[in-house]
Amino acid sequence: MDKLNKNNNFKVPDGYFDTLSSDIMKKIAKEDNSMPLNEGFKVPEGYFETLNTKILGQLENIPVETKVIPLKSYKKHYYTAASVAAVVLLFIMVQFNSDKTLSYSDLANSDIEHYFEFNDLELSSYDLAEILPIDDLDLNDIMESRLDNDNIIDYLDSYIEDFEELNMHNDD
């Protein structure tokens, strides 16, 4: 209301609404006498007396069995319910099939070797030595075939003549 145009040129005279209803009633009383009686629409003589019987006569001619056409179609509701059920079923199936989480053991060794072979990691052997913990590393982890202690001792017996060359102490 504060933003109304204050330069409005339309004004209502003082006391206009106080006498408005009495002025309107005076004009209506003057016009009732001046209305012409023969102008406007005319209704034929006896029209309303015979109207009721004409309507009932037309109703009797209507066949008793009529086809009722529903205004509201329920097919839309069936289609909506079926589509919602399909979406829920699809969602449940996707959730059921996606429960399996992949882990490092699921990868094939050939995939891992292929990745390291064809992707340049820019890591030198010194960088790898710093990253890999030596305490947890076992020789059998590096080699493809496992070495048994018996095989190692047999090898050393056959090819090494002096154990002292290996700087090993034999407590046997």
Side-chain angles (χ1 to χ4, degrees):
M1 296 296 286
D2 294 336
K3 295 182 180 182
L4 286 176
N5 188 2
K6 295 186 180 187
N7 296 328
N8 193 353
N9 294 331
F10 299 104
K11 297 193 188 240
V12 178
D14 292 336
Y16 175 76
F17 292 106
D18 296 336
T19 60
L20 180 66
S21 61
S22 61
D23 291 342
I24 291 174
M25 294 305 281
K26 287 178 188 174
K27 283 187 181 182
I28 291 173
K30 287 182 187 177
E31 291 178 4
D32 280 344
N33 296 335
S34 63
M35 271 183 107
L37 295 175
N38 51 3
E39 289 185 15
F41 299 105
K42 290 186 179 181
V43 178
E45 296 278 335
Y47 176 76
F48 290 107
E49 286 81 17
T50 60
L51 178 66
N52 194 16
T53 56
K54 286 182 183 179
I55 292 174
L56 288 176
Q58 289 178 352
L59 288 176
E60 290 174 0
N61 294 334
I62 295 176
V64 177
E65 293 183 27
T66 58
K67 183 179 178 183
V68 177
I69 301 172
L71 297 177
K72 204 179 221 186
S73 175
Y74 292 105
K75 288 183 181 178
K76 292 178 185 176
H77 298 293
Y78 295 134
Y79 293 142
T80 305
S83 63
V84 167
V87 167
V88 168
L89 183 64
L90 181 67
F91 179 73
I92 290 171
M93 292 302 293
V94 167
Q95 290 297 324
F96 179 71
N97 289 338
S98 67
D99 286 343
K100 183 180 177 185
T101 56
L102 296 177
S103 65
Y104 183 76
S105 62
D106 294 334
L107 292 174
N109 287 338
S110 61
D111 293 337
I112 297 170
E113 289 173 5
H114 183 268
Y115 177 78
F116 284 119
E117 202 171 303
F118 292 105
N119 290 327
D120 186 21
L121 298 177
E122 298 179 3
L123 293 175
S124 68
S125 58
Y126 294 108
D127 294 335
L128 288 175
E130 288 179 4
I131 293 171
L132 295 174
I134 295 175
D135 299 335
D136 298 335
L137 194 61
D138 188 17
L139 183 63
N140 291 328
D141 293 338
I142 299 171
M143 299 182 64
E144 291 181 16
S145 61
R146 297 192 57 88
L147 294 176
D148 294 329
N149 288 337
D150 295 333
N151 292 340
I152 295 172
I153 292 173
D154 290 340
Y155 176 80
L156 291 175
D157 282 340
S158 59
Y159 292 102
I160 303 295
E161 293 185 19
D162 189 15
F163 280 111
E164 295 299 323
E165 292 178 8
L166 296 175
N167 294 327
M168 296 180 70
H169 300 284
N170 193 359
D171 293 333
D172 292 332

